[in-house]
Amino acid sequence: MAENKKRWWTSVFVQLLVAVVAGVLVGHFWPVLGAQLKPVGDGFIRLIKMIIAPLIFCVVVTGIAAVGDIKAVGRIGLKAIVYFEVVTTFALLFGLVVANVFRPGAGLDINPATLDPHAVTAQTKGGQLPSAGDFLLHTIPDSVVNAFAQNQLLQVLVFAVFFGVALAAIGRERAPLVLDFVDQVQQIIFKVMGWIMRVAPLGAFGAMAFIIGQYGLSTLGTYAKLIAACYGAAVLFTLVLAAISRFYAGVSVWKFLRYAREEFLLALGTASTESVMPRIMAKLTDAGCSRAATGLVVPTGYSFNLDGATIYLSISTVFLAQAFGVEMTLGQQLLAVLILMLTSKGMAGVPGSSFLALSATAAAIGAFPVAGVALLLGADRLMDSMRVFVNLLGNCVATFVVAKSEGQLDRDKLRETLEGATPVAA
């Protein structure tokens, strides 16, 4: 009995759940205090970011070296990008269908003259999304040290792939010290990650208190139909991901969610997928995915596979047009999808990226004033939970799919892990 009680108190999931609920209550009843707790959540996320770059490097290098097949590495990367492009395009089209059926902006009749044209600029800090060429060029680091120093994950990934492929080509027997050193560094990083996770509930509490304190629960009523449309779409899209995972990869999403419940709850609490990146990679590897598949697919997905964000963008585009009483033609909606397909790839890490993407779309299709994007300023942060959950789940499913297609999904390990649903040891 004492042992069960101890396990209940020490469960990270329970601690996170209590922390998230406490954060909501503090933010609602003491909004000033809640808004002042932002550094608590930010501090935890910075602790996680501190170890992400070296972790990606170690996981990718050791994973490629373990596979030893350079062609397989190329296939994994290509399959991941093709899968991401297909699924995110489907997510955009899926969002359009939901917006046209549910019509969240109908009846608002917004007067363009009442909008502040500078509100979006203040939110995006005058930034802009990179072009396709700039985005691809930016994946190549001009300095390895700079890539690690600035936490440029795609640049770190590119260097890690080159390093790992070169190490595999040379062979373990000719560079045993290098491979052993990288593997030992990886073990040290996982130990540090375990220590950081002990303060995860505190980080979730601070982040949630800030979000509710800053933006308030009253916003829920103002944007009720838009929020319902986005979260409803997220639930339906989760079923699509579950079907892909079950019928192609043979993995039960529901069992995996039970297994990785702490990571998903922490991501929801902090409104950040980066906060759980190291842990979710460990969970995927422990669930039978090879280190190569996990190390290549997950970091790439953080920039290329933003399923939740693309659903939100397509629904918001139609919502804004409906709010101004404009019925977008089929041609305009397809044009919006094409534009969002390009702009969504450069969103990761750009301040106010969703507003920039929507502004670019509004300017291109001309269905509603660009300043109308400011209507979403109050609702955008309330969509974080939806975007984070779908983005994270989408990357996990992608890892299972790519690993299965390469024969790098250990069925016995998967079955043992998900049936037991035992969390990875810290």
Side-chain angles (χ1 to χ4, degrees):
M1 183 69 69
E3 184 180 357
N4 292 335
K5 185 176 182 180
K6 181 180 179 181
R7 269 190 251 157
W8 184 85
W9 280 111
T10 57
S11 168
V12 176
F13 179 78
V14 173
Q15 293 173 359
L16 285 169
L17 191 60
V18 172
V20 169
V21 172
V24 172
L25 294 176
V26 169
H28 179 63
F29 291 106
W30 299 281
V32 175
L33 174 62
Q36 292 174 343
L37 290 174
K38 185 176 187 293
V40 178
D42 289 349
F44 172 74
I45 293 176
R46 289 183 67 142
L47 284 173
I48 292 292
K49 285 184 174 182
M50 175 180 70
I51 64 173
I52 286 180
L55 178 65
I56 289 176
F57 176 79
C58 293
V59 169
V60 172
V61 170
T62 56
I64 293 175
V67 171
D69 184 353
I70 298 176
K71 290 183 179 179
V73 174
R75 289 197 307 270
I76 290 173
L78 180 60
K79 286 179 180 179
I81 291 176
V82 170
Y83 174 87
F84 293 155
E85 192 58 44
V86 171
V87 174
T88 52
T89 301
F90 173 77
L92 286 169
L93 295 171
F94 184 80
L96 287 182
V97 171
V98 170
N100 281 281
V101 171
F102 197 72
R103 300 181 59 79
L108 290 182
D109 298 323
I110 301 297
N111 181 0
T114 62
L115 301 173
D116 180 3
H118 303 294
V120 174
T121 303
Q123 182 71 17
T124 59
K125 299 178 174 61
Q128 60 182 7
L129 293 173
S131 65
D134 290 339
F135 174 69
L136 292 175
L137 188 62
H138 187 65
T139 62
I140 304 173
D142 53 9
S143 165
V144 174
V145 175
N146 192 54
F148 279 90
Q150 296 190 3
N151 230 24
Q152 297 291 335
L153 301 188
L154 276 181
Q155 293 184 3
V156 172
L157 177 62
V158 168
F159 173 68
V161 169
F162 276 107
F163 194 96
V165 168
L167 189 57
I170 293 173
R172 173 188 284 269
E173 63 281 354
R174 294 177 60 188
L177 292 179
V178 174
L179 187 56
D180 288 345
F181 174 75
V182 174
D183 186 61
Q184 290 166 11
V185 170
Q186 178 179 291
Q187 298 307 314
I188 292 172
I189 291 173
F190 275 121
K191 176 58 69 174
V192 173
M193 180 182 74
W195 293 337
I196 294 174
M197 284 301 296
R198 293 180 182 178
V199 297
L202 188 61
F205 167 74
M208 186 58 67
F210 165 71
I211 291 173
I212 301 301
Q214 183 74 19
Y215 299 96
L217 292 174
S218 60
T219 313
L220 291 171
T222 306
Y223 298 94
K225 290 186 70 175
L226 175 61
I227 293 170
C230 288
Y231 277 84
V235 171
L236 294 175
F237 193 79
T238 296
L239 297 178
V240 173
L241 292 175
I244 294 173
S245 181
R246 164 59 73 183
F247 294 114
Y248 181 80
V251 179
S252 169
V253 159
W254 317 117
K255 289 182 179 178
F256 179 74
L257 285 174
R258 175 170 165 260
Y259 170 61
R261 58 190 179 275
E262 294 171 0
E263 286 70 30
F264 277 86
L265 183 57
L266 178 58
L268 292 173
T270 58
S272 168
T273 51
E274 284 189 344
S275 66
V276 298
M277 189 179 190
R279 289 271 298 189
I280 207 67
M281 290 174 71
K283 287 285 177 81
L284 286 166
T285 303
D286 199 59
C289 296
S290 69
R291 284 183 292 175
T294 302
L296 289 170
V297 176
V298 174
T300 305
Y302 270 60
S303 290
F304 286 90
N305 193 40
L306 304 174
D307 297 334
T310 51
I311 290 173
Y312 166 69
L313 289 173
S314 56
I315 292 178
S316 295
T317 299
V318 179
F319 164 81
L320 290 172
Q322 293 169 349
F324 289 102
V326 176
E327 293 296 330
M328 293 175 65
T329 65
L330 178 61
Q332 287 176 317
Q333 294 193 32
L334 292 178
L335 176 60
V337 167
L338 291 174
I339 296 169
L340 291 173
M341 281 174 61
L342 297 174
T343 55
S344 63
K345 297 300 180 292
M347 287 176 58
V350 179
S353 55
S354 58
F355 296 104
L356 291 171
L358 287 169
S359 297
T361 305
I365 63 179
F368 55 87
V370 175
V373 176
L375 288 175
L376 297 172
L377 289 173
D380 187 71
R381 287 303 298 265
L382 298 177
M383 304 297 180
D384 279 345
S385 296
M386 180 276 290
R387 289 185 294 227
V388 162
F389 178 84
V390 178
N391 288 348
L392 184 58
L393 183 61
N395 286 332
C396 293
V397 171
T399 306
F400 283 121
V401 167
V402 174
K404 190 267 181 184
S405 71
E406 281 295 306
Q408 297 185 25
L409 181 59
D410 187 331
R411 291 286 174 191
D412 293 333
K413 193 174 182 181
L414 171 69
R415 191 179 306 109
E416 179 184 353
T417 300
L418 295 194
E419 291 299 331
T422 303
V424 175

